[in-house]
Amino acid sequence: MKSEACRLDRFISQNSDFSISDTRLLIAQKRILLNGHVAHSIQQKVTKFTRVELDGHCLKDLSPVYLMLNKPRGVVSATKDPKHTTVLDLIRHPQKDELHIVGRLDFNTTGLVLLTNDGAWSRRISLPETKLAKTYEVTLSKPLNDEYIAAFREGIYFGYENITTQPAQLEILSENSAILSLVEGKYHQVKRMFGFFQNEVLSLHRVSVGPISLEGLEVGQSRLLTQNELAATESHGPC
């Protein structure tokens, strides 16, 4: 994983008229502030979201953004598309052009999409080892039965990749509808899992990612994640 941090002296040399060797003197004169605190070492790390001030001038100030969107049908999970509306087109936020998508949804799949400018957070959220369940409402063309529950719990074999999906939890709601929770996000995974039974997915709607729920958010609307929601994701982590 590529580091998003660099040493303070290197950052100063790259973002000001001072050299790497000048940084020690700047620190001694208390002319550098990191997140509002006087810098104390040339080896301090400057991360993507560190606010750096030199002689009262801000050299870098980028705030992390964690946002959720209720994606409508027919919207592309992309930041740019010449033909279709993208998820970014639906967002009103001053830093929206910095955001990337955490777990894309297909063109006709609806529901919860997470966006952020924090690469470390999105990588952790996406790891199967984090055990952060993605939960979907699914409508199928054919009736469901208990064979689906057992097969999803054991894992479905995908011959093309020669892999077996991790255990998933399926709750049958009615003859043709179910709630599915899984921790992976492989290409078209939900449709392919039901395709194992030659059962076409008619509609797919993601309602939650771990503790983050779509409840109360209208279709096409977005909002920032709360501190409680962010804290709840921190309780999940790779084993």
Side-chain angles (χ1 to χ4, degrees):
M1 184 182 300
K2 184 179 178 180
S3 173
E4 296 181 351
C6 70
R7 279 174 41 143
L8 176 58
D9 55 355
R10 184 172 292 110
F11 176 86
I12 292 297
S13 71
Q14 293 172 347
N15 294 274
S16 75
D17 294 330
F18 295 98
S19 67
I20 287 180
S21 59
D22 291 331
T23 307
R24 290 184 185 275
L25 178 59
L26 296 172
I27 290 173
Q29 294 173 338
K30 301 182 179 181
R31 295 166 62 182
I32 303 174
L33 298 182
L34 301 183
N35 294 327
H37 301 282
V38 176
H40 57 78
S41 169
I42 62 170
Q43 297 184 11
Q44 283 183 265
K45 296 298 183 183
V46 176
T47 70
K48 182 177 182 179
F49 301 116
T50 303
R51 178 180 172 87
V52 183
E53 297 172 79
L54 173 61
D55 291 337
H57 298 287
C58 184
L59 300 183
K60 189 173 79 69
D61 184 17
L62 178 62
S63 300
V65 176
Y66 309 95
L67 187 145
M68 63 187 292
L69 167 74
N70 190 344
K71 175 188 168 308
R73 182 186 295 269
V75 171
V76 180
S77 289
T79 55
K80 294 182 180 179
D81 190 279
K83 296 181 179 179
H84 302 101
T85 300
T86 71
V87 293
L88 280 192
D89 292 330
L90 302 179
I91 293 171
R92 300 292 179 264
H93 190 279
Q95 292 175 252
K96 78 172 193 175
D97 291 335
E98 303 165 6
L99 305 180
H100 61 266
I101 301 162
V102 187
R104 299 170 185 270
L105 294 181
D106 296 341
F107 186 70
N108 288 318
T109 300
T110 60
L112 177 60
V113 173
L114 298 175
L115 300 101
T116 186
N117 57 357
D118 185 346
W121 186 79
S122 62
R123 287 190 290 271
R124 192 177 61 80
I125 289 291
S126 302
L127 283 173
E129 293 81 5
T130 305
K131 303 297 182 183
L132 208 62
K134 289 78 173 174
T135 302
Y136 299 83
E137 296 174 348
V138 193
T139 303
L140 289 308
S141 63
K142 298 178 183 178
L144 298 161
N145 57 51
D146 289 346
E147 290 183 26
Y148 288 76
I149 297 175
F152 280 33
R153 185 172 56 239
E154 292 298 319
I156 301 292
Y157 178 69
F158 290 166
Y160 183 78
E161 296 99 327
N162 190 29
I163 59 171
T164 299
T165 61
Q166 292 196 24
Q169 181 178 345
L170 184 70
E171 178 187 355
I172 297 176
L173 300 179
S174 66
E175 187 175 62
N176 293 79
S177 66
I179 296 287
L180 174 64
S181 293
L182 66 166
V183 298
E184 297 175 294
K186 299 187 183 302
Y187 181 70
H188 291 320
Q189 180 169 347
V190 174
K191 294 178 180 179
R192 294 169 70 194
M193 290 175 76
F194 285 103
F196 177 81
F197 291 93
Q198 298 183 338
N199 198 346
E200 182 184 2
V201 173
L202 300 180
S203 68
L204 186 60
H205 180 71
R206 184 157 66 195
V207 296
S208 64
V209 175
I212 304 170
S213 171
L214 201 59
E215 185 177 358
L217 190 64
E218 297 294 327
V219 175
Q221 297 299 304
S222 63
R223 69 166 176 82
L224 295 174
L225 298 187
T226 67
Q227 289 301 313
N228 286 340
E229 287 168 333
L230 288 171
T233 65
E234 294 297 326
S235 66
H236 295 75
C239 300

